[in-house]
Amino acid sequence: MKQFDFNNKNILIVEDTITSSRFFDAALSRTNANLFWAEDAGEAIQIFDENNIDLVLLDINLLTTSGFDVLKYIREKDSNIPVVVQTAYILSGEEEMSFKLGANDFIAKPIKLNQLMKTVEKFLGREDTSLLKQD
Ligand SMILES: [Mg+2]
């Protein structure tokens, strides 16, 4: 499989299900990205405020909160940081709502590894490669 290098990129993963977290960890930990983890909206917003996050992978259905609150918060800050919504409930209008609230992309669970990596690369990959070559 193609090697991805997201060196020095900060990815915030908002996810409350351990099996999904393990999938993201297995897929992204070998890309040299810095991974930040949040299980609810409050944690996600705190981490977002305290770090220079480059990409957010956002679950919508969280234990006691909604990922939409995180998306609204980020866009209220007029942030251009890419937010990819990733959720299991594609039939409940969440895709439409995600884009309405300013999400950059939407992927439905179960997520295939290739699909995840292509999506992350779309937002982080090429720019990073060119910067590394200039050094
Ligand atoms: Mg969830």
Side-chain angles (χ1 to χ4, degrees):
M1 193 189 149
K2 180 180 172 183
Q3 293 294 311
F4 292 91
D5 190 354
F6 306 133
N7 190 35
N8 291 327
K9 295 294 187 182
N10 295 330
I11 303 176
L12 170 57
I13 300 157
V14 187
E15 177 58 63
D16 66 338
T17 306
I18 189 73
T19 49
S20 293
S21 297
R22 283 184 181 142
F23 168 74
F24 289 121
D25 190 37
L28 297 171
S29 61
R30 59 187 166 185
T31 67
N32 297 320
N34 303 314
L35 304 182
F36 296 79
W37 300 93
E39 292 186 357
D40 62 40
E43 270 182 16
I45 286 168
Q46 188 179 349
I47 291 170
F48 181 84
D49 277 341
E50 292 174 356
N51 299 276
N52 291 317
I53 298 298
D54 297 298
L55 173 70
V56 183
L57 296 175
L58 179 63
D59 185 24
I60 294 303
N61 293 279
L62 306 169
L63 268 180
T64 56
T65 51
S66 168
F68 286 136
D69 292 336
V70 180
L71 180 54
K72 284 180 201 162
Y73 180 84
I74 291 173
R75 288 299 176 248
E76 273 167 17
K77 296 199 104 184
D78 199 24
S79 166
N80 292 317
I81 291 162
V83 177
V84 175
V85 168
Q86 45 94 11
T87 181
Y89 299 92
I90 57 168
L91 296 179
S92 59
E94 288 187 340
E95 181 170 9
E96 188 183 357
M97 181 59 75
S98 296
F99 286 119
K100 193 175 169 187
L101 293 176
N104 298 76
D105 212 336
F106 181 97
I107 48 181
K109 291 170 180 164
I111 301 165
K112 288 182 179 154
L113 181 60
N114 249 8
Q115 182 187 22
L116 174 68
M117 301 314 287
K118 275 183 188 168
T119 302
V120 173
E121 186 185 41
K122 186 164 77 178
F123 295 108
L124 297 183
R126 291 195 181 103
E127 182 193 358
D128 200 32
T129 302
S130 64
L131 286 173
L132 285 171
K133 278 176 185 167
Q134 281 169 13
D135 292 339

